[in-house]
Amino acid sequence: MSYAIIGFGAVGQALARAFARRNIEVAVASRRPPEAFAPQARAIGSTVVAKPLRDAVEADTIILAVPFGEHREVAKVLPSWEGKTIIDATNAFGVPPEELDGLPSSAFVAKSFTGARFVKGFNHLIAATLAADPIVEGGHRVVFLSSDDEGAIAPVADLAKQLGFAPVKLGKLNEGGALVHARGRTWGQLIFQDLFKKEQ
């Protein structure tokens, strides 16, 4: 399984740290040419590899960590996203609901990625929290996952566990998933909730 993070701002770098901590190779890409941020990537860890966007999207599993409005530009890179899993870590805070056709923001984003399996995840924590070691005494930091494709959640939950997090499934995007979606200028109730799950 190959992984990529698209977007190398605060959230993208925080996620790259999570991969580096576990020595899992991950490609990182942004609007900038890879040589512009390769030193930052290398400083995070040897398994974090700066690549051009077109190369990074060859990965099996892609975490979308760009500002919400940029998802369409990423989606244009491939004509079809068949066989790929997209993890949507974006937030649409401040975007009027009518601009999203009344859909949860992830369902709206999913329309641009034709053929992809689509999961909302890793979006509810601020970057500094996401960058910190998710394992604390007696527990693992929770990440919430939601999708309209039940089968897509399992491999993303496995990745979350590999990274040291405790995945909690919220069901469909417009059901439990609504708790981690911003709507207009209102944050979902679980956004910013820094929770831990104790070892069983």
Side-chain angles (χ1 to χ4, degrees), residues 86-163:
I86 304 282
I87 303 170
D88 180 19
T90 69
N91 280 309
F93 185 78
V95 178
E98 54 273 19
E99 281 186 29
L100 303 175
D101 301 336
L103 296 168
S105 63
S106 281
F108 182 81
V109 172
K111 291 198 301 181
S112 295
F113 291 86
T114 313
R117 308 191 86 178
F118 207 86
V119 178
K120 182 75 166 176
F122 295 98
N123 71 298
H124 85 283
L125 296 168
I126 62 168
T129 304
L130 202 54
D133 191 336
I135 301 173
V136 293
E137 200 177 325
H140 295 251
R141 179 169 276 117
V142 165
V143 291
F144 296 109
L145 305 175
S146 55
S147 179
D148 292 342
D149 177 348
E150 184 60 40
I153 290 186
V156 177
D158 287 343
L159 171 62
K161 285 180 189 165
Q162 281 182 61
L163 295 175

Side-chain angles (χ1 to χ4, degrees), residues 9-91:
V11 170
Q13 289 180 46
L15 288 163
R17 287 180 196 288
F19 278 84
R21 198 178 290 119
R22 292 306 181 96
N23 282 316
I24 300 170
E25 184 164 316
V26 65
V28 291
S30 87
R31 287 170 301 180
R32 295 180 293 155
E35 52 274 15
F37 60 92
Q40 268 177 296
R42 275 196 300 274
I44 290 172
S46 59
T47 59
V48 180
V49 183
K51 289 189 177 181
L53 181 57
R54 188 161 290 284
D55 293 350
V57 297
E58 294 297 315
D60 304 311
T61 299
I62 296 160
I63 305 178
L64 205 53
V66 295
F68 179 79
E70 290 177 22
H71 72 270
R72 289 185 190 88
E73 290 307 306
V74 177
K76 286 177 190 166
V77 177
L78 292 178
S80 167
W81 294 81
E82 201 74 46
K84 296 188 181 297
T85 298
I86 304 282
I87 303 170
D88 180 19
T90 69
N91 280 309

